[in-house]
Amino acid sequence: MSKIIKPIGYQPVLDMRQTELGIKLIKEFFQQNLSTELRLRRVTAPLFVLKGLGINDDLNGVERPVTFPIKDLNEAEAEVVHSLAKWKRLTLAEYKVEPGYGVYTDMNAIRADEELDNLHSLYVDQWDWEAVITREQRTSCFLKDIVRRIYAAILRTEFLVCERYPELKPFLPPAIHFIHSEELLQMYPDKTVKEREDLIAKKYGAVFIIGIGGKLSNGEPHDGRAPDYDDWTTPGEDGLQGLNGDILIWYPVLGRSVELSSMGIRVDEESLMRQLKLAGKEDRKNLYFHKKLLAGELPLSVGGGIGQSRLCMVLLHKGHLGEIQSSIWPCDMRQECATLGMMLL
């Protein structure tokens, strides 16, 4: 059976024509704001990369990438990207980007192992971005400043959408709240990760949870994170570990929290080796990407991904991602969504 949240009394505020126009408005306006806030220039992204170079995002380490042989390269295998977390850092080095500047791109991915529901699709579209930083900027204080800039761009986009479509009412709070995943665990020690996220997002409206990937005091990480891009082991100014995190908002339509962005300051040579050891992935140090990083050939950076369809979904007050993007959904999910007023593309 389909795994969907059933919003009570759901009725789409905008029809399909208005929705398509709204998607265009959001995508054009937000990416320009993101580019201005973080001083990013657009680059063209790959849909696939060669297998075995360590460039593809391994996500939680268990998801299978879509692969195919390349006839003209003696059947060498290519992988459809999961995201561009590591590719972007190689691009910064190739373009010789200076500190304080960066790149962003339209990332399109296929995640064949995704569990499909209102918020998860086989097709993933993100604004992937990456900026060069200095050694002195590898702090939680700097990370929080970046988060505030991104959230400001989200707020401006919400204002524009509600101005264009007055029937949509703004719901995001004026500021984003910061909390470490260990602090969140101590607040709600008897709750699951998802329950903790929902409680803190409902309390503040928008929250950035710091420290994703490292084990907490209960012996479990808040969530999985590949060991070779975000730095989740370096102590911050508050003594807690981690220079990465997730932006979540409380979404009234579904009555739950929604993650809009995953981001962080990237690993340097020291934290890369530390995290590879913790993850039992030390063999990766011999891969193309990792060798370049350990040789000091890649710049220090901060980066992340912001879900395009998810942002459009919440700003247009939709109940299902399939109302924003065209993808493949189980037949029973399509039928059930139709009875609930959610017409999937």
Side-chain angles (χ1 to χ4, degrees):
M1 292 297 293
S2 65
K3 300 176 181 178
I4 62 170
I5 301 169
K6 303 175 182 179
I8 299 173
Y10 176 76
Q11 286 294 329
V13 180
L14 305 180
D15 61 27
M16 294 184 71
R17 177 181 173 278
Q18 291 172 314
T19 298
E20 291 290 359
L21 291 173
I23 292 170
K24 181 175 183 291
L25 177 70
I26 291 168
K27 289 190 174 185
E28 289 179 348
F29 183 80
F30 179 79
Q31 70 178 333
Q32 184 59 54
N33 272 260
L34 180 69
S35 173
T36 301
E37 280 286 357
L38 303 184
R39 295 196 286 189
L40 311 172
R41 67 174 177 179
R42 189 187 183 281
V43 295
T44 300
L47 179 59
F48 41 80
V49 294
L50 280 174
K51 183 178 181 179
L53 297 180
I55 297 176
N56 201 0
D57 181 357
D58 296 298
L59 300 175
N60 291 313
V62 296
E63 295 87 350
R64 301 167 300 168
V66 175
T67 62
F68 60 91
I70 306 172
K71 181 180 179 182
D72 227 23
L73 292 180
N74 297 318
E75 302 301 307
E77 283 200 316
E79 295 181 341
V80 176
V81 298
H82 279 147
S83 84
L84 300 172
K86 290 176 278 190
W87 175 86
K88 293 175 296 180
R89 201 163 174 183
L90 292 167
T91 301
L92 292 177
E94 184 178 352
Y95 280 60
K96 297 180 173 60
V97 177
E98 296 293 324
Y101 297 90
V103 299
Y104 81 94
T105 189
D106 288 297
M107 189 282 297
N108 297 287
I110 298 174
R111 297 184 182 173
D113 289 338
E114 201 72 81
E115 293 188 8
L116 307 181
D117 56 26
N118 302 60
L119 297 167
H120 297 88
S121 170
L122 300 174
Y123 168 60
V124 179
D125 53 345
Q126 293 183 166
W127 289 287
D128 253 333
W129 63 273
E130 199 84 11
V132 178
I133 62 175
T134 65
R135 177 72 60 179
E136 294 70 30
Q137 289 174 319
R138 299 189 78 255
T139 66
S140 57
C141 182
F142 178 79
L143 176 63
K144 290 176 181 178
D145 180 63
I146 296 292
V147 172
R148 291 188 185 98
R149 290 173 179 271
I150 293 172
Y151 188 67
I154 293 173
L155 284 179
R156 283 195 293 273
T157 307
E158 182 188 45
F159 175 81
L160 177 68
V161 172
C162 292
E163 186 179 49
R164 183 67 58 88
Y165 302 105
E167 56 269 45
L168 296 174
K169 304 303 178 185
F171 64 90
L172 294 175
I176 188 167
H177 179 76
F178 294 89
I179 189 168
H180 194 279
S181 54
E182 178 62 36
E183 294 176 299
L184 187 57
L185 172 62
Q186 297 304 318
M187 285 178 66
Y188 308 110
D190 58 336
K191 303 296 184 182
T192 66
V193 168
K194 184 65 189 65
E195 288 170 340
R196 296 199 295 269
E197 289 182 345
D198 284 348
L199 286 167
I200 198 70
K202 187 173 185 179
K203 182 176 182 178
Y204 291 102
V207 62
F208 185 72
I209 301 177
I210 303 170
I212 309 291
K215 288 184 179 180
L216 305 177
S217 60
N218 63 355
E220 300 291 335
H222 181 82
D223 199 358
R225 202 68 116 235
D228 44 15
Y229 53 95
D230 281 354
D231 186 337
W232 38 262
T233 54
T234 297
E237 295 94 335
D238 52 9
L240 295 171
Q241 290 186 332
L243 294 174
N244 70 344
D246 294 339
I247 295 176
L248 288 85
I249 57 102
W250 177 255
Y251 189 39
V253 173
L254 295 182
R256 57 157 290 170
S257 61
V258 173
E259 178 190 321
L260 294 182
S261 177
S262 172
M263 57 174 290
I265 291 172
R266 306 310 196 186
V267 290
D268 58 9
E269 299 90 335
E270 181 183 350
S271 55
L272 171 65
M273 290 305 300
R274 182 168 59 248
Q275 293 180 182
L276 288 179
K277 184 176 181 179
L278 286 171
K281 304 286 187 181
E282 291 175 276
D283 56 323
R284 289 191 189 178
K285 65 184 180 183
N286 298 314
L287 297 175
Y288 173 76
F289 170 84
H290 303 72
K291 287 198 292 186
K292 288 185 75 70
L293 198 160
L294 292 171
E297 297 175 12
L298 302 181
L300 298 173
S301 66
V302 60
I306 302 164
Q308 294 188 18
S309 290
R310 277 201 189 179
L311 184 64
C312 292
M313 175 184 165
V314 300
L315 295 186
L316 296 176
H317 299 196
K318 297 295 183 178
H320 196 288
L321 207 61
E323 296 178 89
I324 298 296
Q325 59 163 242
S326 180
S327 185
I328 297 174
W329 309 98
C331 290
D332 60 331
M333 180 180 289
R334 284 189 172 276
Q335 293 168 0
E336 195 167 6
C337 285
T339 64
L340 295 170
M342 299 182 287
M343 304 306 297
L344 308 191
L345 302 178

